[in-house]
């Protein structure tokens, strides 16, 4: 493995500066944003590197659990903020967070206990990156699925009520919308699996290879991760859209769009 | 003893003053009142589509004792504007072949079943929505201006179909209309609604 020196990163940073200069000269007006983002990525990644180093050195299950919880809560906030119409009150935050907790933590636990089997099973070098990748991807699926569910229920509110007037159950009335939401949530992951290795070299695998791992070992890990992410995203989207569907109706199967709030921006 | 088919006991919402009302088999109650008086709101509450206080009874069975979708299957509503969710009209009917007779009665051809929803006129869709509702064989019909977009001839055909349905099935109906003539033609009872309050109407 070739270790990077601060000088190596400085060279890369100079290239970013050069891009900013060119962008400024050409009037694209993105140079401030570009530089600020470059600074942010440096600081954020250095910070997380430092935290991970601490975690790896300690390997204390309590600290790992705390880290996992913080990651979950941040992802839950992200899911809510990506909704055009999210559920009001605790449901807006809770639904996505619980769905991610069930799917990501569930899948991570299975992978650590029965597949990767590090010693101890919560070994942070495995647990944290695994959970991070699972959360990042289930977050995408769940937010896409929920967003589609609530926005299509809003757009098709008249059709939904027409169905109810004809004696459809809430479940039957919603089922095409829910199917569509599940599909939207799962499609990115299915596409990523189909394109992996042909159109794109997955980032994790590339990283392992750059770090000196034998390509076949990196590939095996990548396949495992892809499967885990797909399962996590799929089940997470199912949980979220099921909860969302039932929250859209009350116990008398009335469409309750008043339980949604529109995003103000 | 003759018991009411539909009974409202102190039905009220935020904008609807408490209303108790009995509807017997074979009856059609016309409901008039200015726009915004709460007529549609009343029908939607009876259909249990919006939150309300008070209790509703169908054949002496409380709506709370029935699953909501079963209630709505028996107490069906025809909204002022019809809505469709499949591509073609025919897909909205469980037995498209079996409705050629009602189509004919309303002056529509069976070919309309293969048509796209967007290719039908508002008036066609309104009549089709009535047939769609009657196919469910509800016991109570909640009709929100079922002839509002229709010419006189078509409107009379719709009136005829609803009247004979109520008679044959010993059903009952509440019929919102702005036309006093129509109210006189179709209804056995006249109701007036003003600012959320329903009263007997003397035409």
């Amino acid at each position: 493995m070739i270790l990077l020196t601060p000088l190596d990163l400085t060279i890369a940073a100079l290239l970013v500066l050069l891009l900013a200069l060119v962008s400024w000269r050409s009037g694209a007006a993105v140079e401030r944003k570009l530089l600020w983002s470059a600074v942010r990525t440096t600081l954020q990644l250095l910070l997380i590197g430092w935290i991970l180093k601490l975690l790896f050195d300690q390997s204390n299950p309590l600290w790992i659990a705390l880290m996992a919880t913080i990651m979950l809560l941040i992802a839950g906030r992200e899911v809510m903020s990506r909704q055009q119409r999210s559920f009001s009150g605790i449901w807006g935050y809770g639904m996505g967070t619980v769905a991610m907790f069930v799917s990501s933590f569930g899948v991570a636990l299975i992978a650590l206990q029965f597949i990767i089997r590090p010693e101890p099973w919560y070994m942070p070098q495995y647990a944290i990156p695994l959970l991070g990748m699972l959360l990042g991807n289930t977050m995408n699926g769940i937010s896409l699925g929920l967003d589609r569910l609530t926005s299509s229920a809003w757009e098709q509110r008249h059709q939904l009520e027409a169905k109810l007037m004809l004696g459809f159950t809430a479940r039957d009335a919603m089922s095409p919308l829910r199917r569509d939401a599940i599909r939207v949530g799962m499609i990115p992951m299915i596409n990523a699996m189909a394109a992996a290795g042909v159109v794109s070299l997955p980032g994790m695998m590339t990283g392992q290879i750059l770090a000196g791992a034998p390509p076949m070992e990196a590939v095996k890990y990548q396949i495992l991760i892809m499967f885990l992410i797909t399962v996590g995203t799929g089940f997470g989207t199912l949980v979220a859209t099921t909860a969302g569907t039932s929250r859209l109706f009350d116990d008398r199967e009335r469409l309750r769009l008043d339980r949604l709030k529109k995003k103000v921006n | 003893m003759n018991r009411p088919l539909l009974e409202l006991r102190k039905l009220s919402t935020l904008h609807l003053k408490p209303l108790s009302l009995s509807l017997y088999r074979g009856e059609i109650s016309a409901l008039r009142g200015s726009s915004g008086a709460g007529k549609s709101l009343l029908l939607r509450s009876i259909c249990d589509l919006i939150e309300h206080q008070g209790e509703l009874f169908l054949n002496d069975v409380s709506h709370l004792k029935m699953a909501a979708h079963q209630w709505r299957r028996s107490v069906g509503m025809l909204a002022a504007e019809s809505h469709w969710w499949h591509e073609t009209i025919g897909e909205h009917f469980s037995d498209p072949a079996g409705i050629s007779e009602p189509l004919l009665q309303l002056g529509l051809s069976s070919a309309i079943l293969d048509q796209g929803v967007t290719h039908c006129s508002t008036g066609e869709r309104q009549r089709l929505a009535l047939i769609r509702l009657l196919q469910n064989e509800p016991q109570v019909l909640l009709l929100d201006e079922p002839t509002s977009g229709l010419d006189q001839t078509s409107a009379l055909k719709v009136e005829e179909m609803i009247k004979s349905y109520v008679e044959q099935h010993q059903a009952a109906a509440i019929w919102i209309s702005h036309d006093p003539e129509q109210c006189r033609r179709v209804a056995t009872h006249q109701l007036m609604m003003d600012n959320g309050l329903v009263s007997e109407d003397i035409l």
Side-chain angles (χ1 to χ4, degrees):
Chain A
M1 182 178 171
I2 301 166
L3 293 173
L4 293 177
T5 63
L7 179 67
D8 300 331
L9 291 180
T10 311
I11 296 171
L14 284 174
L15 290 173
V16 175
L17 273 177
L18 180 69
L19 175 65
L21 190 72
V22 172
S23 131
W24 174 63
R25 288 293 297 266
S26 65
V30 288
E31 62 281 351
R32 285 176 71 103
K33 244 188 158 147
L34 171 71
L35 290 176
W36 175 232
S37 296
V39 170
R40 270 191 66 166
T41 206
T42 311
L43 292 178
Q44 284 167 196
L45 291 178
L46 283 175
L47 179 69
I48 199 69
W50 178 68
I51 292 173
L52 287 177
K53 185 177 159 10
L54 280 183
L55 272 178
F56 287 11
D57 292 347
Q58 303 264 329
S59 196
N60 181 336
L62 273 179
W63 287 114
I64 298 165
L66 179 69
M67 178 74 184
T69 309
I70 293 172
M71 285 159 69
L72 174 70
L73 295 181
I74 293 174
R77 231 188 79 90
E78 189 64 22
V79 166
M80 189 173 72
S81 73
R82 288 190 197 175
Q83 312 292 311
Q84 277 307 307
R85 292 175 195 279
S86 63
F87 289 94
S88 49
I90 186 75
W91 294 90
Y93 186 78
M95 203 173 283
T97 311
V98 169
M100 273 190 299
F101 176 72
V102 172
S103 58
S104 295
F105 281 58
V107 170
L109 208 64
I110 292 171
L112 290 171
Q113 289 276 18
F114 301 108
I115 303 174
I116 307 175
R117 279 176 296 190
E119 203 50 59
W121 65 269
Y122 53 80
M123 194 174 165
Q125 185 196 338
Y126 292 92
I128 296 295
L130 188 65
L131 198 60
M133 278 190 286
L134 277 165
L135 278 174
N137 285 281
T138 51
M139 179 179 83
N140 273 330
I142 288 170
S143 59
L144 286 171
L146 270 181
D147 187 50
R148 174 61 71 97
L149 188 81
T150 53
S151 58
S152 64
W154 174 262
E155 277 154 24
Q156 296 184 39
R157 58 193 181 278
H158 297 299
Q159 280 89 342
L160 284 172
E161 287 224 312
K163 289 182 191 176
L164 295 180
M165 284 177 194
L166 290 167
F168 279 55
T169 61
R171 198 192 148 96
D172 286 346
M174 275 301 285
S175 82
L177 284 69
R178 184 165 169 251
R179 271 204 301 273
D180 188 45
I182 293 170
R183 200 182 53 80
V184 165
M186 288 182 65
I187 280 290
M189 209 42 236
I190 293 173
N191 286 346
M193 280 204 294
V198 188
V199 186
S200 64
L201 281 183
M204 192 213 73
M205 183 180 107
T206 319
Q208 273 192 308
I209 293 174
L210 280 177
M216 281 319 278
E217 293 309 310
V219 163
K220 281 193 273 180
Y221 259 94
Q222 185 64 48
I223 293 173
L224 173 67
I225 293 296
M226 286 283 211
F227 285 176
L228 295 180
I229 286 175
T230 305
V231 171
T233 309
F235 282 114
T237 310
L238 280 171
V239 169
T241 53
T242 306
T245 301
S246 73
R247 184 66 190 157
L248 279 170
F249 294 84
D250 63 17
D251 54 341
R252 294 299 297 169
E253 298 180 68
R254 305 178 188 115
L255 183 59
R256 295 295 299 269
L257 291 170
D258 56 315
R259 289 176 175 173
L260 296 178
K261 61 173 194 300
K262 198 175 185 326
K263 187 176 175 181
V264 275
N265 47 3
Chain B
M1 204 176 84
N2 193 13
R3 297 288 303 151
L5 174 61
L6 177 74
E7 195 186 346
L8 280 51
R9 278 190 209 157
K10 292 186 182 156
L11 175 71
S12 70
T13 72
L14 199 57
H15 305 284
L16 216 59
K17 307 212 167 77
L19 171 65
S20 295
L21 186 77
S22 292
L23 214 61
Y24 292 83
R25 291 185 178 278
E27 284 185 351
I28 296 178
S29 285
L31 179 62
R32 294 198 308 144
S34 53
S35 302
K39 303 185 296 295
S40 302
L41 195 68
L42 174 62
L43 294 200
R44 288 165 58 80
S45 320
I46 300 175
C47 197
D48 205 6
L49 283 165
I50 44 177
E51 278 191 296
H52 55 80
Q53 274 85 54
E55 218 169 336
L56 305 160
F57 294 86
L58 183 74
N59 289 319
D60 289 323
V61 179
S62 163
H63 78 291
L64 296 171
K65 294 244 166 70
M66 292 167 79
H69 61 274
Q70 283 169 336
W71 175 264
R72 291 182 200 122
R73 216 156 228 285
S74 307
V75 183
M77 178 165 171
L78 184 71
E81 206 180 314
S82 73
H83 293 281
W84 307 81
W85 48 93
H86 293 298
E87 293 264 322
T88 65
I89 294 289
E91 289 172 90
H92 294 81
F93 293 90
S94 54
D95 177 24
I99 60 165
S100 49
E101 199 185 320
L103 282 174
L104 209 64
Q105 277 176 43
L106 295 186
L108 299 163
S109 119
S110 296
I112 204 164
L113 293 175
D114 299 322
Q115 267 189 40
V117 167
T118 46
H119 291 102
C120 296
S121 73
T122 314
E124 283 170 335
R125 284 201 293 257
Q126 198 174 16
R127 281 173 283 170
L128 288 160
L130 174 66
I131 298 175
R132 185 174 65 179
L133 175 66
L134 297 185
Q135 285 299 301
N136 264 347
E137 306 203 329
Q139 300 186 56
V140 176
L141 302 174
L142 305 167
L143 308 167
D144 197 346
E145 300 190 54
T147 63
S148 59
L150 302 178
D151 61 78
Q152 180 76 7
T153 324
S154 303
L156 288 173
K157 285 177 182 164
V158 166
E159 288 177 12
E160 219 32 67
M161 177 175 276
I162 296 170
K163 268 162 58 180
S164 70
Y165 177 89
V166 168
E167 205 178 286
Q168 277 170 22
H169 290 76
Q170 281 299 291
I174 301 179
W175 186 320
I176 296 179
S177 173
H178 285 291
D179 176 5
E181 287 299 317
Q182 183 177 57
C183 293
R184 215 173 281 140
R185 277 198 302 274
V186 298
T188 51
H189 293 73
Q190 308 292 336
L191 298 173
M192 187 66 169
M193 191 157 192
D194 185 35
N195 204 13
L197 186 70
V198 175
S199 55
E200 293 272 343
D201 187 19
I202 309 116
L203 265 175

